[in-house]
Amino acid sequence: MTEFLLGLRLLAGSGRGNRVRFLLMAVGGSIGVCCLALVLTVPAILEAHDGRAAARQPVTAPKGTADSTLVLLRSDAYGSHSFTRVFVARGSGGAKTSPPGVGELPGPGELVVSPRVRELLREAPAVRGLLPGRDRGLIGPAGLAHPDELYVYIGTTRDELARDGRHLKDFGYRYAPFPAVEPSTLTDVRFALATLVLLPLGIFLSVCARLSAAGRTRRLASLRLLGLSRKGTRRVNAAETVAAALAGAVLGLGEYWVLNQVMARTGLPSLRWYPADGELSATTVAVCLLGCPALAWFVGRKSAREATANPLAVRRTAVPRPPSKWYGFLLLAGLGIVCGYCLTGLIGRPASSTGVNALLVVAGVLLTGVGLVLTLPYLSHVLARRLAGSTGSLTLNLAMRRNEAEPGSTMRVVTGLVLLVYAASLAQGVLIQLAQVSRPSGPVQDYSLALSRLTEGQQRELGEVAGVRNAAVMMNSWVDLDTERPEEAFASSATALVATCAQLERMVSASEGCVDGRVMRLVDPNSSLGSGLATGTTFRFRHDGAKPGRTDVVLPAERIVYTGYGASAIGGAALLVPPSALPAGARPDDAQLVLTSGSDPGEVRRVLDGIGAVAPIADVELVGLNIQGLEQISVVETLLVLGMIMGLLIGVAAFLVSVTDRAMERRSQVTAVTLIGARARTMRAVQCVQVVLPLCLGLVLAIVTGKLAESSYLITGGGAVGWDIDGLPLLVLAAAGVVLVAAAGTLPLAGRRIDPELIRRD
């Protein structure tokens, strides 16, 4: 305990510079702890979301008593969000419980709505067509997955639910029907967050614990020469590092608490939660308050080893031993794993991501990242020694001799930026794989709306919604259900696409043989639809509007051979009918309006929002995609963007903290060389070269190893893209930007003012 108190007294009384360094360690550590707490809390936020969604899910049975409660659940798309309506017909028997967040089930003509639905009723009165009844109350937070959810309980009569309703037994499932993020996708997100945040975070906290390493090592050596034992010297060192880490951990948890309160109220794009969801758990607090000081203790113990073992050499600034080269085995082990998986892709037999492969890929990526960081000091030392021995430039010689003597000082500045580029490459791979898994396989997305629910004005406005490339009508032929064999009547029916040749081309990948103004047969070589229809068969299409009546269409021999997309509304059509074949102003019965847009999730959301603004109560079918899947894509993208922002913040913070500490630590050396006669311009060039050359070496390795790690991840994912060549230019530009930022950060190290006091003996 005496040694710890001595360490704290030395910290408080060793000058302003040391107190500034302590503040840097604490503030830097707090940023890291705040990011760590956020990463550890994200799964809890998603789990709370799914837990509330599962707790309100009605448990039903197809049969029940005559007086049991009936329920009917409908989940539709309103814009780019799901709108869930639960119709309830209360009975005198059966379930007596109410769903979470609702005091009592609504009676006939009553509504219990979420806060967002109440706002929506004020903003868009047309939504009342979906909600028959009067607003009786709000659903509490316990009954909503998130604050912005569109959810409502609608009270109705038993007669209205007699056909489709189910008998209510209770509320509460063990799992959510539509989780915020699918478990398989959540695994990818955790991997991405671990790579983007946790790996740079561990390096950043180690950097913070190693600030002012040279000065503290000399101070510890003095204490050792004065008679303090080895253990006592290590305890003195631990007093400063652990105190800074503990102060940073407490400050970081406070920063997270404020951040959670703000973010829970403002929300992130596509991700909202209640403040209680993001509260710090006991596990998170323990990891932050115990893990960060433990890491600081480990790093501080390692840094104090030289001062305790050979204090005289430290005080006389003897030539230090070169960095260990054994860390290179970590890098080689990681590269061996990722290159092995890359080889399986090259030979055309890609490994799957199941079983042990899933663990090996993650281990390979992490080993490569950690090995890259730990091997950089040795590689920088070798590069500096060779350049210093062969160059005739004074600037390059001074810079490389300093890097040869103290490679660790420069590495603290470079490491965060190198990891930033390495993590950026992996982030590209995760985004590519999620795009392959979650998005439609084709470049277009179709939307189907019942034409009978739309007015002529709405039909026209929907075709003009921003992002909509094409609007066409799909109509079904009339079927006589009064025949003795209605199944045969259905078999002889057909669906026709009312469109021009230009509209058809925008809906398919390729088409051949289309002639405007003529009824033609649609043939997809990859589908057997319509193959049983005989040429000359007459199909009757009924229509109303300005001229109600019917139009008979004969199946011709002329045909259009087209190649459709994987999920497309046109796949069900056997005929192409030009708009001129129908009477002017005719609106076909049993028809759908089909809109086509790009398949990018952002564009799909914009189109859905546009549809919701024009026809808020229309039922929109996303062909080949469900609205819950679209919401999951949005949540995953938000989490990945959040991870990249945190990784960027950690990388920049590591650079700023390190470059500030290096400026303070190198003042005496810069002053000594300046007093000998070196010009300020030369010193600025020396400081710049000292950082830029090791940084360039690290960035080249980061790009190469990052691309190999990304490729191994993509190959084992089994997607269509295994080699991300398109992402390489962006990564190179990012690396060039990092070099420019690092070069600019080294310029303030050599100032115009010379203070001889800085080079006096301790």
Side-chain angles (χ1 to χ4, degrees):
M1 183 59 68
T2 304
E3 291 84 356
F4 281 108
L5 294 177
L6 175 60
L8 295 177
R9 290 186 63 183
L10 287 174
L11 173 64
S14 55
R16 185 182 62 180
N18 204 54
R19 288 192 292 270
V20 171
R21 294 187 186 101
F22 179 84
L23 182 63
L24 279 176
M25 294 168 66
V27 172
S30 71
I31 296 174
V33 169
C34 181
C35 293
L36 176 61
L38 184 57
V39 171
L40 294 177
T41 310
V42 164
I45 292 174
L46 298 178
E47 184 178 349
H49 175 287
D50 295 341
R52 288 192 297 270
R56 72 184 180 202
Q57 191 70 11
V59 180
T60 61
K63 296 182 180 180
T65 61
D67 57 352
S68 62
T69 299
L70 299 178
V71 295
L72 176 64
L73 191 145
R74 287 284 184 264
S75 185
D76 306 308
Y78 179 80
S80 58
H81 305 283
S82 58
F83 193 161
T84 304
R85 296 173 294 162
V86 182
F87 294 88
V88 179
R90 291 191 309 192
S92 57
K96 301 294 184 181
T97 60
S98 298
V102 178
E104 185 181 3
L105 289 173
E110 295 179 337
L111 304 174
V112 180
V113 301
S114 66
R116 182 68 187 105
V117 171
R118 179 173 288 182
E119 294 176 6
L120 192 63
L121 288 172
R122 293 194 295 266
E123 298 169 359
V127 178
R128 288 197 175 275
L130 292 170
L131 307 174
R134 64 183 184 279
D135 187 350
R136 200 200 72 183
L138 286 174
I139 303 175
L144 297 173
H146 56 85
D148 285 344
E149 189 175 22
L150 297 173
Y151 207 91
V152 59
Y153 293 93
I154 303 174
T156 185
T157 62
R158 297 182 61 84
D159 293 339
E160 294 180 350
L161 298 185
R163 179 180 176 182
D164 299 323
R166 295 177 64 87
H167 296 269
L168 178 67
K169 296 173 60 179
D170 202 349
F171 288 95
Y173 270 18
R174 291 178 297 175
Y175 54 88
F178 301 105
V181 179
E182 289 290 343
S184 59
T185 307
L186 186 59
T187 302
D188 294 333
V189 173
R190 285 172 175 164
F191 168 76
L193 291 179
T195 306
L196 291 171
V197 182
L198 296 184
L199 181 57
L201 181 60
I203 303 300
F204 174 50
L205 293 176
S206 300
V207 167
C208 291
R210 286 280 293 162
L211 292 180
S212 187
R216 282 191 288 144
T217 302
R218 288 173 59 83
R219 189 166 63 245
L220 294 174
S222 299
L223 293 175
R224 182 75 179 95
L225 290 173
L226 290 174
L228 196 63
S229 65
R230 290 190 177 187
K231 290 185 178 179
T233 305
R234 290 171 183 167
R235 293 193 186 105
V236 170
N237 182 53
E240 182 175 1
T241 55
V242 173
L246 189 59
V250 174
L251 183 60
L253 292 177
E255 292 170 357
Y256 171 78
W257 184 88
V258 175
L259 186 66
N260 177 53
Q261 299 297 320
V262 174
M263 292 176 65
R265 286 165 173 78
T266 59
L268 296 173
S270 305
L271 182 61
R272 287 290 309 275
W273 66 90
Y274 292 102
D277 298 343
E279 287 184 353
L280 292 166
S281 65
T283 303
T284 302
V285 173
V287 168
C288 294
L289 292 183
L290 298 179
C292 294
L295 177 62
W297 164 267
F298 174 77
V299 175
R301 179 184 178 87
K302 188 171 184 276
S303 63
R305 184 180 304 166
E306 186 177 359
T308 57
N310 198 353
L312 193 59
V314 171
R315 289 301 304 172
R316 292 180 175 178
T317 60
V319 177
R321 291 180 299 175
S324 175
K325 59 183 178 183
W326 299 111
Y327 291 121
F329 284 106
L330 291 176
L331 179 60
L332 293 177
L335 285 177
I337 295 174
V338 299
C339 289
Y341 285 111
C342 290
L343 183 61
T344 64
L346 285 174
I347 63 177
R349 296 182 179 180
S352 65
S353 60
T354 58
V356 70
N357 288 336
L359 297 176
L360 282 178
V361 170
V362 176
V365 171
L366 295 179
L367 280 175
T368 302
V370 174
L372 175 63
V373 171
L374 297 179
T375 311
L376 271 180
Y378 173 74
L379 297 177
S380 175
H381 174 81
V382 173
L383 175 67
R385 184 173 57 187
R386 292 190 177 182
L387 287 178
S390 60
T391 183
S393 169
L394 174 63
T395 300
L396 188 58
N397 194 288
L398 282 174
M400 293 300 98
R401 288 303 182 190
R402 175 50 58 187
N403 282 354
E404 181 184 2
E406 294 181 359
S409 175
T410 304
M411 285 300 105
R412 288 197 294 273
V413 179
V414 168
T415 299
L417 301 178
V418 171
L419 269 181
L420 188 61
V421 174
Y422 177 78
S425 180
L426 290 171
Q428 287 180 339
V430 174
L431 289 174
I432 288 173
Q433 189 187 50
L434 289 175
Q436 294 178 97
V437 173
S438 304
R439 297 181 185 177
S441 57
V444 299
Q445 174 64 50
D446 289 344
Y447 315 80
S448 179
L449 298 88
L451 192 63
S452 59
R453 300 293 182 92
L454 302 173
T455 64
E456 291 186 11
Q458 287 177 327
Q459 181 179 349
R460 184 174 57 256
E461 291 179 25
L462 287 173
E464 299 172 354
V465 168
V468 172
R469 304 176 182 176
N470 186 61
V473 174
M474 297 270 290
M475 58 182 186
N476 300 314
S477 63
W478 177 72
V479 177
D480 187 5
L481 298 179
D482 295 332
T483 61
E484 296 181 357
R485 296 181 177 180
E487 64 278 1
E488 294 183 0
F490 273 109
S492 61
S493 64
T495 301
L497 173 67
V498 183
T500 64
C501 290
Q503 289 176 315
L504 174 65
E505 289 180 358
R506 289 193 288 267
M507 299 179 69
V508 299
S509 176
S511 65
E512 181 181 351
C514 185
V515 179
D516 273 321
R518 298 177 62 177
V519 176
M520 303 190 75
R521 187 171 189 161
L522 290 173
V523 177
D524 184 357
N526 299 318
S527 173
S528 61
L529 180 72
S531 59
L533 300 176
T535 302
T537 304
T538 301
F539 301 100
R540 178 167 296 173
F541 297 92
R542 292 189 171 186
H543 49 77
D544 54 15
K547 294 183 179 180
R550 68 188 188 189
T551 299
D552 292 337
V553 178
V554 179
L555 184 65
E558 295 91 345
R559 59 183 194 166
I560 302 171
V561 180
Y562 74 94
T563 302
Y565 297 111
S568 175
I570 195 178
L575 284 165
L576 177 69
V577 177
S580 58
L582 299 177
R587 291 173 58 80
D589 292 342
D590 192 12
Q592 295 82 35
L593 176 66
V594 178
L595 306 176
T596 303
S597 75
S599 62
D600 181 76
E603 186 172 354
V604 173
R605 286 191 291 270
R606 286 192 296 271
V607 171
L608 283 172
D609 289 336
I611 294 173
V614 174
I617 62 175
D619 186 11
V620 183
E621 178 189 355
L622 280 166
V623 180
L625 187 68
N626 59 61
I627 193 65
Q628 287 81 14
L630 190 64
E631 289 180 326
Q632 286 194 19
I633 295 174
S634 302
V635 173
V636 170
E637 288 180 343
T638 298
L639 292 176
L640 289 179
V641 170
L642 180 63
M644 285 187 281
I645 291 175
M646 285 192 290
L648 178 62
L649 177 64
I650 291 171
V652 173
F655 172 73
L656 293 177
V657 169
S658 300
V659 80
T660 303
D661 176 69
R662 186 168 180 269
M664 298 175 61
E665 193 176 43
R666 297 296 308 278
R667 285 185 304 170
S668 60
Q669 299 166 0
V670 172
T671 300
V673 177
T674 303
L675 285 175
I676 293 174
R679 293 180 296 179
R681 184 173 61 184
T682 302
M683 291 306 302
R684 291 192 183 96
V686 169
Q687 300 299 324
C688 184
V689 171
Q690 282 182 0
V691 172
V692 168
L693 277 182
L695 178 60
C696 290
L697 173 64
L699 290 178
V700 170
L701 289 174
I703 292 175
V704 173
T705 57
K707 277 300 169 185
L708 288 173
E710 177 194 5
S711 297
S712 67
Y713 178 75
L714 290 174
I715 288 170
T716 54
V721 178
W723 308 95
D724 179 27
I725 305 300
D726 296 336
L728 188 58
L730 179 61
L731 205 62
V732 173
L733 287 176
V738 165
V739 172
L740 292 177
V741 170
T746 61
L747 296 181
L749 293 182
R752 296 180 178 275
R753 180 173 171 269
I754 299 176
D755 185 8
E757 180 67 17
L758 294 173
I759 60 173
R760 68 180 178 85
R761 296 185 62 85
D762 292 341

